[in-house]
Amino acid sequence: MPAGPFPGGAPVVGVLLAAGAGRRLGRGPKALLCMDGMPQVVRMARALLRGGCDAVVVVLGASDEEVRRILDGALTGTPEGQRVHTVVNADWESGMGSSFRLGIETADRLLAPSGPSSGLVVVALVDQPDVGEAVVRRLLASATASTTTGSTGSTSATAQAIGPRVTAAGYPDAQGRLVRSHPLVFPRPWAREAAALAAGDAAGRVWLSSHPEVVDVVDVGHLATGRDVDTPQDLDRLGPGTEADVRA
């Protein structure tokens, strides 16, 4: 794997969670939701790569064969296609936690040649239509300044000292308060810890809530709203010029 943009040439792997069926939205899997003619699964995989990830793991679930066909059709034969890996979460209906675990486990295997703990994992969601490569790049730049790669210490040993940090996207709410959201950048050892605690619909939230002292929330509100698309009303709130449909 090529060296990433981090100290010591540590590689960076993105994990794109794209397994849901989009039942509340009623338009099929959100991975296939098109924004300005591009399926979200394709757009977000490219955003992660172009934002600084060396490789991307796409976790599929609902309609996995169709989603993979669309993704392969867009990326096969391109340099980006060679850096995208798909895995299928057979237990996707149990919630996002199982997809998070599978994505982190796969990223960990991809990062193994770099050493037991070196590397960073960027976790992104497929249903944030205006999150793009600029957001990923901004978060990785912040992580570059604050993350020491290659740490092998446990959370309890490192949280009290200068060391690895988790970098989270922050978007202002209606009152101007910064709200933690996605994407998230984990040092690899802490990605493993977060995955071990993921269950049901809780992905990294349990670990993050337990370790707020090592989480840097970076304001990217000037680059995106970070709003996700869960319901038809969410589609109505998308900005002008954005078309939403599901590609057949």
Side-chain angles (χ1 to χ4, degrees), residues 39-241:
Q40 273 293 103
V41 67
V42 177
R43 195 186 68 79
M44 284 304 301
R46 283 177 169 162
L48 287 165
L49 291 172
R50 296 175 183 182
C53 294
D54 299 301
V56 171
V57 175
V58 182
V59 184
L60 306 178
S63 303
D64 61 281
E65 292 184 0
E66 182 181 7
V67 177
R68 182 185 278 121
R69 176 176 62 82
I70 294 294
L71 185 61
D72 288 348
L75 299 182
T76 297
T78 71
E80 291 172 335
Q82 298 173 11
R83 296 190 285 150
V84 174
H85 309 262
T86 57
V87 291
V88 177
N89 176 17
D91 195 30
W92 65 268
E93 291 188 271
S94 68
M96 192 185 299
S98 59
S99 292
F100 182 83
R101 288 196 306 274
L102 177 59
I104 297 299
E105 290 167 2
T106 307
D108 196 44
R109 288 195 295 271
L110 289 175
L111 289 164
S114 65
S117 299
S118 179
L120 295 162
V121 180
V122 183
V123 180
L125 307 180
V126 81
D127 64 350
Q128 290 179 298
D130 66 351
V131 172
E133 63 184 275
V135 171
V136 178
R137 190 177 300 111
R138 174 69 183 90
L139 295 174
L140 290 178
S142 180
T144 300
S146 64
T147 300
T148 302
T149 62
S151 171
T152 58
S154 67
T155 299
S156 59
T158 59
Q160 303 302 319
I162 297 174
R165 309 284 297 176
V166 173
T167 303
Y171 307 95
D173 64 11
Q175 288 73 45
R177 296 171 298 195
L178 203 58
V179 178
R180 189 191 74 220
S181 186
H182 291 79
L184 300 161
V185 183
F186 284 94
R188 186 172 159 210
W190 291 5
R192 294 190 197 114
E193 289 190 14
L197 296 177
D201 283 323
R205 184 170 68 244
V206 176
W207 190 93
L208 292 166
S209 297
S210 300
H211 302 89
E213 72 279 4
V214 297
V215 180
D216 295 327
V217 181
V218 176
D219 188 350
V220 291
H222 59 297
L223 299 172
T225 66
R227 296 191 187 100
D228 56 7
V229 176
D230 288 326
T231 67
Q233 290 72 32
D234 293 333
L235 284 178
D236 294 338
R237 285 192 288 269
L238 293 175

